[in-house]
């Protein structure tokens, strides 16, 4: 039986696809050693292992009614095609992907700057990381229950967030409890051509888990 893919494996695969395959691309070119993706590539033992995940459709008995209901509500509010995987430890949504959920102006939608002006700094001419973070935070409440995340515990990690290509944004949050960053825990979003296409998490503490005391 194949080993379940981790949420991070899915998200890293999406990262590669986003950075290498813009929607408007019509031809392939040889990879350049100095390109953006090459500068992001690295190996680390800390990226594995991850929590085991499986497709939501394959594990309905392991998922609470509240999680299934929240996921159903989400799917009914977005274009068809979204799929999710659950963390086998908690039965909560660990990873989801799809498309056509307009977040910010881009080639994938008809949004304009005026549509997202409320998330931008006064006078900002274009969407920046602070604006995309604000959009992500505004979206989090609809995902919090099914992911088991407290939006107020999230702090943007600027080193893992940004715009590695003109059509791609990454918004990646650390999880902070009791004033301390929970090592390895993260919540992240991927945006392509202005549309949300992926969101997920890694190593989220179980809901209600206490922060270990410091010595």
């Amino acid at each position: 039986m194949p080993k379940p893919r981790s949420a991070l494996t899915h998200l890293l695969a999406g990262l590669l696809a986003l950075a290498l395959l813009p929607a408007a691309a019509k031809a392939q070119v040889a990879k350049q050693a100095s390109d953006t993706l090459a500068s992001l590539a690295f190996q680390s033992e800390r990226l594995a292992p991850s929590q085991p995940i499986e497709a939501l459709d394959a594990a309905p008995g392991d998922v609470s009614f509240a999680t299934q209901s929240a996921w159903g509500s989400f799917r009914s509010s977005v274009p068809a095609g979204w799929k999710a995987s659950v963390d086998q430890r908690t039965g909560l949504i660990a990873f989801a992907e799809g498309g056509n959920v307009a977040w910010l102006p881009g080639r994938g939608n008809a949004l304009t700057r005026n549509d997202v002006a409320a998330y931008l700094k006064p006078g900002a001419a274009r969407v920046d990381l602070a604006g995309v973070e604000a959009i992500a935070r505004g979206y989090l409440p609809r995902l919090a229950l099914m992911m088991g995340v407290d939006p107020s515990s999230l702090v943007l990690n600027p080193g893992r967030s940004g715009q590695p290509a003109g059509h791609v944004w990454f918004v990646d949050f650390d999880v902070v409890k009791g004033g301390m960053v929970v090592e390895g825990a993260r919540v992240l979003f991927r945006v392509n051509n202005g549309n949300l296409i992926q969101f997920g998490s890694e190593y989220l503490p179980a809901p209600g888990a206490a922060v270990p005391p410091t010595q």
Side-chain angles (χ1 to χ4, degrees):
M1 180 176 179
K3 184 178 180 181
R5 296 180 70 189
S6 72
L8 185 57
T9 299
H10 282 285
L11 288 161
L12 289 178
L15 185 156
L16 292 170
L18 289 175
L20 293 176
L21 298 175
K26 298 298 183 181
Q28 294 182 342
V29 297
K31 179 177 180 292
Q32 302 298 314
S34 60
D35 67 13
T36 302
L37 186 60
S39 70
L40 295 174
F42 65 99
Q43 292 183 333
S44 170
E45 294 300 322
R46 296 185 64 189
L47 295 182
S50 178
Q51 73 264 31
I53 67 172
E54 62 181 334
L56 174 61
D57 293 342
D62 299 327
V63 181
S64 71
F65 174 79
T67 299
Q68 293 192 55
S69 179
W71 173 248
S73 296
F74 172 79
R75 287 192 67 184
S76 67
S77 68
V78 298
W82 276 82
K83 297 181 178 180
S85 296
V86 297
D87 185 337
Q88 293 176 327
R89 304 169 308 161
T90 64
L92 296 168
I93 302 297
F95 173 78
E97 62 182 342
N100 299 318
V101 177
W103 261 32
L104 49 96
R107 298 184 65 174
N109 59 60
L111 294 181
T112 68
R113 182 193 176 283
N114 287 339
D115 293 316
V116 297
Y119 299 101
L120 306 181
K121 296 177 181 178
R126 58 187 296 274
V127 177
D128 57 9
L129 180 57
V132 183
E133 178 191 359
I135 292 170
R137 289 190 179 279
Y139 206 78
L140 271 164
R142 68 192 304 179
L143 309 178
L145 176 62
M146 63 183 175
M147 295 181 70
V149 61
D150 175 6
S152 67
S153 72
L154 302 183
V155 175
L156 185 73
N157 184 303
R160 298 195 307 262
S161 303
Q163 190 177 21
H167 62 291
V168 177
W169 281 97
F170 302 149
V171 187
D172 201 325
F173 296 99
D174 288 324
V175 178
V176 176
K177 292 179 71 69
M180 301 189 306
V181 174
V182 179
E183 184 175 6
R186 61 200 294 202
V187 172
L188 54 162
F189 298 89
R190 301 290 184 251
V191 179
N192 185 28
N193 285 297
N195 293 339
L196 175 69
I197 63 167
Q198 295 176 337
F199 62 83
S201 65
E202 279 281 301
Y203 293 121
L204 287 184
V211 178
T214 56
Q215 299 298 325

